[in-house]
Each structure stands twice: as structure tokens, then as C-alpha cells.
Amino acid sequence: MKIFHCSHCGNPLYFENTVCLSCGSHLGYLEHRSQLVNLIAKNGLFSVSGDEGKLYRFCKNHEYQVCNWLVEINSNSEFCSACSLNRTIPNLENESNLVEWRKLEIAKHRLVYALMRLGLQVEPKKGIESSGIAFDFLEEITNAQNSEPVRTGHLNGTITINVAEADSVHREYMRKQMAEPYRTLIGHFRHEIGHFYWDLLINNNSDNLSAFRSIFGDERVDYGAALQNHYNQGASSNWPSYYISSYASSHPWEDWAETWAHYLHLIDLLETAFYFGIETGGHLNDGSPLKMEARFDPYLQQDFDAIIKAFRPLTYAINSLNRSMGQPDVYPFVISDTVLNKLRFVHQLLH
Ligand SMILES: [Zn+2]
Ligand SMILES: [Zn+2]
Ligand SMILES: [Zn+2]
């Protein structure tokens, strides 16, 4: 993610800021410019420097402090592009749901930022049969009459996220249950949206589909049986040579979604490094260099090798920083050559 700056005082700003903590300026996010901008108040609306003649208001969800994106006053939606994808939000009569919803929205807005920067279609789903994206943030209701579990997942553009995943205690419990090295909200969003773009970019294109099958395998194998098998038997012990995660080995669709999510992780980390001008030095025990300079915006970088060359040393550096603070590795993955090839396929598809 970019680091933004207050145009009034120059203070660095996070993507989620609504006020500059240094000078008190009010801020909003302008999606067509991918910029956090200082707001000039005008009769209850806002104008923005560089967008003269246009007037903005906040997205409707600003009132819940879950969104800082701006909407042009003549837009036919009261929601921004990220919030218009919501179909079901948690029941806000339960106060803890507002806290959890905020965390979900932080992850979802960061996802939508990345999708837009990649030039991907981000449209709300209008009806059950129509294309587009709809988010259902659902709570598990457990009482005597109804104890249907809520499964985080994707179906025809509808992405269901179990609200409990926003609770760090629940999520860590699930992470241990599933023996995963990494489980985050942004990871869920990146994974599930990957299924949506598989339908859009691969399933609808015969060339892409045959290229996909040659790299990820044939997705026509029985999905339900494959997942059942994965949960019963577990992944084979040599999965790290072929997959980014053990779950990715369950079925080509899951391999795709895990790889897609990983590509988004990689690009986001490198974008942050770029905006901070991060450079690393040193070398590994075998003499291979750990030198990198984040000199390019990864969203605009055509050369996948340049991305990987910068990325590997960066992960050593950030893991070491985390270890300095007694925290687990922020990047607990190893990219094999086979996985690298899969990531390259995602990159080529997007460029
Ligand atoms: Zn400021
Ligand atoms: Zn919004
Ligand atoms: Zn999946």
C-alpha cells in the first residue's frame, strides 16, 4: 500500500486516516486518483484540490466509521465502489459486530484498492444470475433451532465471510486447528476474490483455460471429493515443492485461489517497500545476495523476474524485523520453482 501525505503539512498518512494527526486536516480517499486527499468543506460537501468544479460527499458507510472514500455528488450510488459490493453487513444492534465489521472493511477496502490498481473489473452483482461481486458478511447463529455453520467461501461472485474471522482469538484458534502458518482477513479476501476472477478471466477464455490446466491441473476433477480427501488424508508430505500452501494441493481451483492471493500479498508488500524506498543488503550463508532496492511500483512492473528478485530479500528483512520484536514471521512461506511458475502465470494474465 502507498504511504500518503497530508498536502497541508506533509505528515505521512495511512490509507484509513480521516484526519491528519499532525495538523487536523480532514481527509478522504478519491478512488479515481488512488489518493488520500485533503478536503475543503463547502456547504456540507467537499471540494478537492486538483478536481476543481467537482463536489464530493463521504460514502454512506462513513457514518459508521468503516469507510473514508469519497463519492461524487451526482453519482447514482450513495456508496463508494468498495462499499457498493456489500450485500449483507453484520447486524449492528449487536455492538461487537460494529467493531468486527470495521476490521472486515479495512481488509476489503485494501483489496479493492489493489483490484482497481490492477485494472480489474470491480462491479457489484445486481441479481443472482448477473456477473459482479457481492459480499455477505454473515454471523453464525447458534441456538437450539438453528446452528448452520457459516462457511467463508465463493459462489458465482458471492463471497461469504464469517464475521467471527474478524475476531483475532477465533481466527488464531482456527489457524491452529487447520495447522496453517498464516491466516488473516486480507488473506481471506484475496483468496475468495481469486475464485471470482478465475471465472471471469480463465473460465470464459479457452486459451487461458488450457494454459491454466497445463500449470495447475484439470479443474474438472470432482471438487467435493477432492476437498473431502484433503480433510481426511491431509496433503502429501512433498506439497511444498509444488504448492504455496498445503490447502492449495486440495484441488486446482484452490491452488489457483491460493496462488492469486499470494500474488496480491507480494505486490502489496513490494508497493509498501517502494513507497518507503526500502533497500536491503547482506547475503545468505551460501553467498547468495540479500540485496534489493524497491525502486519500482510493482503494479506497473511488467518484468516478473524483477519483482521476484526484489521480493525474496525483502521477506528475509521483514521476517528478521518481526523476530527482533519476538513476533512470528510475517512471511512464513517458501516459493518453490513450480510455485514461481504459477505466480508468473498470474502476473502474465494481469499484464
Ligand atoms: Zn496535516
Ligand atoms: Zn464506502
Ligand atoms: Zn477457495
Side-chain angles (χ1 to χ4, degrees):
M1 176 55 72
K2 285 179 184 176
I3 278 292
F4 303 93
H5 289 93
C6 173
S7 64
H8 184 239
C9 74
N11 198 49
L13 306 167
Y14 293 111
F15 182 55
E16 290 81 14
N17 282 163
T18 51
V19 173
C20 170
L21 294 179
S22 168
C23 74
S25 288
H26 289 268
L27 310 162
Y29 181 77
L30 211 49
E31 46 185 93
H32 71 272
R33 279 176 30 194
S34 303
Q35 282 294 344
L36 199 56
V37 292
N38 290 57
L39 304 177
I40 305 155
K42 265 190 187 160
N43 308 323
L45 298 165
F46 306 108
S47 68
V48 167
S49 169
D51 262 45
E52 276 72 20
K54 288 186 182 166
L55 283 173
Y56 296 93
R57 52 185 159 69
F58 273 116
C59 166
K60 176 107 172 41
N61 280 343
H62 180 71
E63 66 183 86
Y64 302 105
Q65 295 172 304
V66 299
C67 180
N68 63 349
W69 289 25
L70 298 167
V71 180
E72 223 189 310
I73 49 158
N74 50 19
S75 162
N76 47 26
S77 172
E78 54 191 347
F79 294 103
C80 71
S81 295
C83 293
S84 64
L85 306 177
N86 290 356
R87 189 169 65 185
T88 315
I89 62 160
N91 177 3
L92 299 180
E93 280 168 24
N94 175 350
E95 263 179 52
S96 70
N97 274 346
L98 181 58
V99 176
E100 309 301 22
W101 185 33
R102 279 190 191 128
K103 296 182 218 162
L104 289 165
E105 290 296 342
I106 287 173
K108 194 198 71 192
H109 280 73
R110 284 179 173 248
L111 171 78
V112 173
Y113 164 88
L115 300 177
M116 287 179 155
R117 289 225 52 209
L118 288 166
L120 288 162
Q121 179 192 309
V122 183
E123 295 286 336
K125 194 175 172 72
K126 302 242 162 56
I128 292 182
E129 293 303 316
S130 81
S131 65
I133 303 163
F135 284 104
D136 287 337
F137 299 143
L138 302 183
E139 270 176 283
E140 214 152 80
I141 312 289
T142 37
N143 56 39
Q145 291 83 33
N146 184 355
S147 56
E148 265 297 281
V150 171
R151 291 191 204 286
T152 292
H154 165 268
L155 185 66
N156 296 329
T158 296
I159 291 172
T160 302
I161 306 274
N162 184 345
V163 175
E165 283 290 325
D167 173 45
S168 57
V169 175
H170 171 86
R171 197 171 58 249
E172 179 63 8
Y173 173 78
M174 290 305 293
R175 190 187 69 75
K176 287 195 82 172
Q177 288 285 103
M178 312 294 277
E180 295 169 343
Y182 174 92
R183 191 179 181 95
T184 62
L185 283 183
I186 190 98
H188 284 314
F189 278 95
R190 287 173 176 162
H191 173 104
E192 300 307 339
I193 206 79
H195 290 301
F196 170 75
Y197 287 107
W198 188 87
D199 285 344
L200 195 71
L201 304 175
I202 296 178
N203 204 25
N204 290 329
N205 179 310
S206 58
D207 288 348
N208 289 345
L209 189 56
S210 64
F212 169 84
R213 284 179 183 154
S214 71
I215 296 170
F216 291 83
D218 194 330
E219 83 290 352
R220 290 167 294 188
V221 296
D222 187 326
Y223 178 74
L227 281 202
Q228 203 53 55
N229 189 47
H230 175 75
Y231 288 124
N232 292 343
Q233 320 273 324
S236 78
S237 60
N238 65 345
W239 69 260
S241 304
Y242 305 101
Y243 303 97
I244 192 61
S245 68
S246 119
Y247 185 57
S249 71
S250 63
H251 186 276
W253 278 337
E254 297 309 332
D255 190 11
W256 162 262
E258 287 287 90
T259 307
W260 171 276
H262 208 82
Y263 182 80
L264 296 184
H265 292 337
L266 196 149
I267 295 298
D268 196 347
L269 275 173
L270 272 178
E271 190 193 26
T272 308
F274 169 60
Y275 276 89
F276 279 96
I278 288 177
E279 290 180 22
T280 66
H283 52 78
L284 292 173
N285 281 345
D286 67 2
S288 54
L290 279 177
K291 191 169 165 49
M292 67 83 72
E293 293 173 354
R295 288 275 161 78
F296 55 83
D297 180 342
Y299 286 99
L300 306 176
Q301 178 59 265
Q302 303 281 333
D303 180 2
F304 182 69
D305 293 324
I307 288 177
I308 287 299
K309 192 164 169 253
F311 183 65
R312 281 192 157 135
L314 180 65
T315 60
Y316 277 100
I318 55 174
N319 282 348
S320 302
L321 288 169
N322 262 35
R323 288 179 186 206
S324 299
M325 286 300 290
Q327 296 283 0
D329 285 352
V330 67
Y331 186 81
F333 303 98
V334 175
I335 300 181
S336 69
D337 287 346
T338 308
V339 171
L340 196 65
N341 207 30
K342 293 174 182 175
L343 288 165
R344 189 186 300 277
F345 176 75
V346 176
H347 179 77
Q348 285 166 351
L349 193 71
L350 290 170
H351 288 266

